[in-house]
Amino acid sequence: MKTKTNSFLAVLFFVAAVLSTPAISALEDGGNHAVINTYSVSVEGKWIDAFGQAAGAEIESVMQANGFVTAGGEGDKDNIAILFRVKEAESKKKVNPSGMLLAGGISSAVALDVRIEAEMTAEIAGHSIFSESIVHRNRPRELFSGWIRSRGVKKHAIENAAKKLAARLIGSLSGGNVNPVVPPRSNADLLTGDGDIWPVFRGGLAAIAIHEAGHTINARLLGHDVEFKGNDSRTFVDGPDMTLGLSLFFAHRTGKDMLLPLLPDVTYDFNPVETSKGDISYVDKYGRPVSGGSRDSALLSYSGILFQNMTNEYILTKHPRLIDEDRPFLKGIVLMNFFLPAFYTVKGYDDPNSDLLRLQSALGADRWKVNSMVLLPTAIDFYRYYHPEKKKLRRYSRIAKLIPLIVCLSE
């Protein structure tokens, strides 16, 4: 019995010892075994002036994800001194007919191919513990190269090379016994890869559905009936801007009407009529006056954009750094919430049943005032998306969203 107990305790102590052993193997120093878990990073080489901070940040993200902490100061010699150096950095443009025809128009006529040759060394107290080189090539975005800034392509190539070498350093320190934790790289592009277009597209459709739901929900809350129906006259003229900016496949449509089937006509159970005095009054389908008709018409006309603004507010509050997250569906929603209000201010007055034309009529306001109500919240959210570090933009954005709502309700 005693033997079994001793055996059990021995196994227990062995397991405890294994579990308490650091993931990174101990580094021998002067005969004594000491675990070095601090590090410092320096970078040098081509393009480092522009992207050195980004490369260093990626190396640090890998080190910290694997339990390392930054060294206490420059005088601290008892740490892993990491040097990342870019030896060669080449970027070449190649003809991109698929992108030009299918997605980006003239802007995607070329795609950028980036090749990075880099090396990483690591030392402790002047003794080398790691040295390795890598050749990394970024896979060009064929379809949407025109939507990706060349600076971003080069920056991502250097970041990817730095992260791969940092992971190999971790593997070397552990003696191959630990799979390094590699956190996902931040992503400031709308599209990480060509395949992201589908979730972005679904997000755009979801934003349109939210827009139409806004009309329906507020109509019900105000006690009105709402009806959606197709409108073959809801078109816009395809000009050279669409052909050159989106796809050369649109060239045969230049100068012709383009139908907007995803934006149906929204009708309610009351309508504006002109009185004998030249004023606007609102009556139901039986010709009876509707109390608060101008207020209801203004609010319902604005409800689609209002719900899009509310959706943006929710997304950018829950994901303030959305630009750095790989969430193409959410980015598709936000992108459409940026695009549709701006599109309305340019093309939204041609249709007699358009939201902005009805809003202008209900408010009796000039067009520039209506456009300001629509564009100001969108512009602030657009800037907020690209500058999540500016915390005050959240407050300004919410104020800009409340003002149009107050204007509509005060009618």
Side-chain angles (χ1 to χ4, degrees):
M1 187 68 177
K2 186 175 182 180
T3 302
K4 290 183 178 179
T5 302
N6 290 339
S7 300
F8 173 78
L9 290 176
V11 171
L12 183 62
F13 285 132
F14 175 78
V15 172
V18 169
L19 293 178
S20 64
T21 301
I24 305 303
S25 60
L27 301 171
E28 188 172 354
D29 183 12
N32 296 320
H33 290 272
V35 174
I36 309 298
N37 67 343
T38 59
Y39 71 93
S40 61
V41 177
S42 57
V43 293
E44 62 180 37
K46 294 187 176 183
W47 280 351
I48 287 301
D49 289 343
F51 307 122
Q53 184 177 1
E58 292 301 321
I59 295 170
E60 290 190 359
S61 72
V62 175
M63 298 300 292
Q64 292 173 7
N66 289 275
F68 288 85
V69 296
T70 54
E74 293 184 1
D76 186 357
K77 301 297 183 181
D78 191 20
N79 72 89
I80 303 171
I82 302 170
L83 172 63
F84 174 74
R85 186 163 71 94
V86 178
K87 299 164 67 176
E88 293 292 338
E90 301 175 350
S91 63
K92 295 181 180 179
K93 293 181 178 180
K94 65 176 186 177
V95 178
N96 185 26
S98 58
M100 184 167 51
L101 290 174
L102 298 175
I106 293 298
S107 67
S108 287
V110 296
L112 192 65
D113 189 3
V114 179
R115 177 184 176 277
I116 301 295
E117 184 178 349
E119 69 175 1
M120 178 179 288
T121 59
E123 297 180 348
I124 295 180
H127 299 287
S128 176
I129 60 169
F130 177 82
S131 178
E132 193 164 334
S133 298
I134 190 175
V135 174
H136 174 78
R137 300 190 72 154
N138 257 25
R139 182 179 180 184
R141 260 60 62 93
E142 300 287 349
L143 293 181
F144 299 94
S145 61
W147 297 18
I148 310 296
R149 292 176 296 180
S150 60
R151 175 182 173 85
V153 177
K154 298 169 186 175
K155 174 174 174 282
H156 293 172
I158 289 180
E159 288 175 330
N160 288 336
K163 179 166 283 189
K164 286 182 178 181
L165 285 174
R168 293 182 186 181
L169 169 61
I170 296 295
S172 173
L173 293 176
S174 67
N177 297 323
V178 172
N179 290 324
V181 177
V182 181
R185 182 185 56 77
S186 63
N187 168 43
D189 289 335
L190 178 68
L191 303 170
T192 308
D194 288 340
D196 285 346
I197 186 57
W198 302 117
V200 167
F201 182 70
R202 289 194 295 270
L205 292 179
I208 293 175
I210 290 169
H211 177 101
E212 304 302 344
H215 291 302
T216 303
I217 292 172
N218 277 354
R220 298 299 185 189
L221 290 175
L222 293 173
H224 295 291
D225 292 330
V226 62
E227 182 180 356
F228 295 91
K229 57 184 179 180
N231 183 353
D232 291 343
S233 65
R234 177 157 287 171
T235 61
F236 66 96
V237 177
D238 176 19
D241 52 346
M242 183 172 178
T243 298
L244 298 179
L246 294 180
S247 169
L248 297 188
F249 277 150
F250 285 100
H252 69 287
R253 296 286 311 181
T254 301
K256 299 181 180 179
D257 287 343
M258 298 285 288
L259 180 64
L260 290 173
L262 295 178
L263 297 177
D265 256 348
V266 184
T267 60
Y268 305 101
D269 58 359
F270 68 105
N271 291 289
V273 294
E274 188 174 350
T275 66
S276 58
K277 298 180 180 181
D279 299 330
I280 299 296
S281 178
Y282 289 85
V283 297
D284 63 17
K285 57 186 177 181
Y286 302 109
R288 296 173 300 196
V290 175
S291 177
S294 59
R295 178 205 62 200
D296 290 359
S297 181
L299 180 60
L300 295 183
S301 299
Y302 188 70
S303 289
I305 294 175
L306 172 64
F307 270 56
Q308 288 186 272
N309 286 340
M310 292 168 57
T311 302
N312 270 359
E313 186 59 42
Y314 175 79
I315 292 175
L316 293 179
T317 299
K318 193 171 181 63
H319 301 277
R321 302 197 68 88
L322 179 64
I323 189 172
D324 292 326
E325 298 180 21
D326 188 16
R327 295 178 180 270
F329 178 74
L330 292 184
K331 289 183 177 181
I333 295 177
V334 171
L335 174 66
M336 181 57 73
N337 288 344
F338 292 154
F339 170 77
L340 197 59
F343 177 82
Y344 270 25
T345 60
V346 178
K347 302 286 187 180
Y349 294 91
D350 299 335
D351 188 335
N353 198 43
S354 70
D355 291 345
L356 296 197
L357 194 61
R358 290 172 52 155
L359 178 60
Q360 183 184 16
S361 175
L363 296 177
D366 294 332
R367 181 176 293 191
W368 72 266
K369 293 181 180 179
V370 174
N371 285 347
S372 298
M373 291 171 58
V374 173
L375 288 177
L376 185 59
T378 301
I380 295 177
D381 276 348
F382 184 80
Y383 192 70
R384 178 179 168 190
Y385 172 80
Y386 277 100
H387 294 278
E389 75 281 0
K390 297 183 182 296
K391 306 298 183 183
K392 290 184 178 180
L393 289 176
R394 178 185 299 184
R395 182 187 309 162
Y396 300 151
S397 173
R398 291 174 180 176
I399 293 173
K401 292 181 177 76
L402 280 174
I403 291 175
L405 180 59
I406 294 171
V407 170
C408 292
L409 291 176
S410 63
E411 276 299 303

